[in-house]
Amino acid sequence: MTRDTSLRRAPLMLALAALTFSAGCASTVRIERLLGEPHRYDGRTVQVEGRVTRSAGILGTGAFEVDDGTGKIFVIAQGQGVPAEGTQTRVKGRFESVFNLGRTAVAAIVQERRF
């Protein structure tokens, strides 16, 4: 490959790298939106951020509730422990809509990563 060809491909390679990086970065979704449109997010990876209001765990497994000011949702943590109540946290995981009862959605996030 000549230097000319390499220089022409550089913008394409940068764009591809940026696209790959951005696909791996989930943007934070408001809990109110998750619970208001559970069918839209069911089974998808989402990220939420907020304060831990309740937590319980044993031997690295447990659950905790996150409140972002718009709503609350439980996060299931398997093998990663749970944060203490009052802690500010950001969680990425799979959204699971358990069921809807009228206008109330019961859902949880299965944690993949906590920041």
Side-chain angles (χ1 to χ4, degrees):
M1 201 169 14
T2 67
R3 185 178 174 140
D4 256 1
T5 307
S6 296
L7 289 176
R8 278 186 265 154
R9 289 188 181 178
L12 177 62
M13 296 305 283
L14 284 172
L16 183 59
L19 182 62
T20 302
F21 177 75
S22 67
C25 299
S27 61
T28 302
V29 179
R30 300 307 250 162
I31 295 170
E32 175 182 52
R33 188 166 187 177
L34 290 174
L35 299 178
E37 302 177 75
H39 58 281
R40 179 176 179 193
Y41 296 98
D42 197 26
R44 296 183 63 191
T45 299
V46 298
Q47 182 173 287
V48 297
E49 186 172 356
R51 188 175 51 86
V52 177
T53 55
R54 293 192 275 179
S55 70
I58 187 168
L59 300 175
T61 301
F64 56 98
E65 185 179 54
V66 176
D67 182 347
D68 71 353
T70 68
K72 297 178 183 182
I73 193 164
F74 276 101
V75 177
I76 300 166
Q78 300 170 330
Q80 300 177 31
V82 296
E85 291 180 19
T87 303
Q88 193 70 20
T89 191
R90 186 173 50 182
V91 178
K92 180 179 174 183
R94 189 179 70 250
F95 178 80
E96 296 292 338
S97 177
V98 180
F99 65 86
N100 293 333
L101 184 61
R103 293 181 167 257
T104 303
V106 176
I109 295 174
V110 179
Q111 178 179 296
E112 293 173 2
R113 184 172 182 194
R114 186 171 65 242
F115 306 90

